[in-house]
Amino acid sequence: GAGVSQSPRYKVAKRGQDVALRCDPISGHVSLFWYQQALGQGPEFLTYFQNEAQLDKSGLPSDRFFAERPEGSVSTLKIQRTQQEDSAVYLCASSSREGWATQYFGPGTRLLVL
Amino acid sequence: SQELEQSPQSLIVQEGKNLTINCTSSKTLYGLYWYKQKYGEGLIFLMMLQKGGEEKSHEKITAKLDEKKQQSSLHITASQPSHAGIYLCGADGITGTASKLTFGTGTRLQVTL
């Protein structure tokens, strides 16, 4: 496809379950970003990859959050032992190069932790 | 702390009316992006501004970045129901790192018939 895709679009998890969220960036885009968007708020940065290298993970809220991009294209955001405060929309974005390049966003994964 | 302030937080306008949304930062904006978001969807890129005094237009939407590069405005002329949604400004480099975007809290726009 032409744009960023994410799966699943919706995920309901019981507290304590592990979840994995997938992002397929635009083909050829070297930079990939994960953001978390709480209800009524703007997206907040979680982590950033340039190719397979995770260059910035300063926004990950706890060590329960882990992201990877092993081959420099598809990325997975994993949340272990989910908590209710993890409920949010998780957005993935990609850009063609590093720094001051337009980020194109996927539709997001809406996570609800019960 | 919130580094980008958007105003107003919400806006209801009658179809055909003009409107302006503002985005203000206490720090110099190196790259300022405007996105639109509809409920349950991702962010749709509208425009990017980099230079002080820059102005860009697309269809009925015009975005400006002031000379000091600390404030941007988004102006919609003759609003239509299709303009309804949440408008977000995002800044690149505001935290000292080129790549990650810092967003405002958004402006929710409703267009009534």
Side-chain angles (χ1 to χ4, degrees), chain A residues 1-52:
Chain A
V4 179
S5 60
Q6 292 185 245
S7 61
R9 290 293 312 277
Y10 303 92
K11 177 70 179 178
V12 179
K14 292 183 180 179
R15 191 172 55 183
Q17 277 186 331
D18 297 348
V19 299
L21 313 180
R22 177 187 169 107
C23 172
D24 283 85
I26 294 172
S27 178
H29 276 195
V30 299
S31 296
L32 185 145
F33 306 81
W34 284 99
Y35 293 85
Q36 180 191 59
Q37 186 176 24
L39 192 63
Q41 300 295 316
E44 294 201 354
F45 171 80
L46 294 177
T47 186
Y48 158 56
F49 291 85
Q50 186 176 343
N51 296 307
E52 68 278 5

Side-chain angles (χ1 to χ4, degrees), chain A residues 9 33 35 37 40-43 45 48 56 58 91 98-103 105-107 110, chain B residues 30-31 33 35 37 39-43 45 48 50 88 92 97-101 103-105:
Chain A
R9 290 293 312 277
F33 306 81
Y35 293 85
Q37 186 176 24
Q41 300 295 316
F45 171 80
Y48 158 56
D56 187 347
S58 61
L91 294 163
E98 177 191 3
W100 291 298
T102 299
Q103 295 181 24
F105 283 78
R110 186 173 296 273
Chain B
Y30 292 101
Y33 300 79
Y35 289 89
Q37 185 176 34
Y39 181 76
E41 299 179 15
L43 279 62
F45 170 70
M48 188 264 281
Q50 278 188 297
L88 290 153
D92 195 338
T97 302
S99 295
K100 64 184 178 186
L101 294 178
F103 285 92
T105 53

Side-chain angles (χ1 to χ4, degrees), chain A residues 41-113:
Chain A
Q41 300 295 316
E44 294 201 354
F45 171 80
L46 294 177
T47 186
Y48 158 56
F49 291 85
Q50 186 176 343
N51 296 307
E52 68 278 5
Q54 189 174 21
L55 299 186
D56 187 347
K57 54 182 181 180
S58 61
L60 296 177
S62 76
D63 59 7
R64 295 186 295 104
F65 286 71
F66 172 76
E68 59 183 4
R69 194 188 185 198
E71 296 178 0
S73 68
V74 171
S75 177
T76 304
L77 176 67
K78 297 179 180 177
I79 309 174
Q80 296 177 325
R81 305 180 303 282
T82 52
Q83 304 294 315
Q84 285 186 321
E85 61 263 28
D86 299 335
S87 297
V89 176
Y90 291 85
L91 294 163
C92 175
S94 70
S95 69
S96 59
R97 56 183 173 88
E98 177 191 3
W100 291 298
T102 299
Q103 295 181 24
Y104 295 93
F105 283 78
T109 294
R110 186 173 296 273
L111 173 65
L112 178 62
V113 181

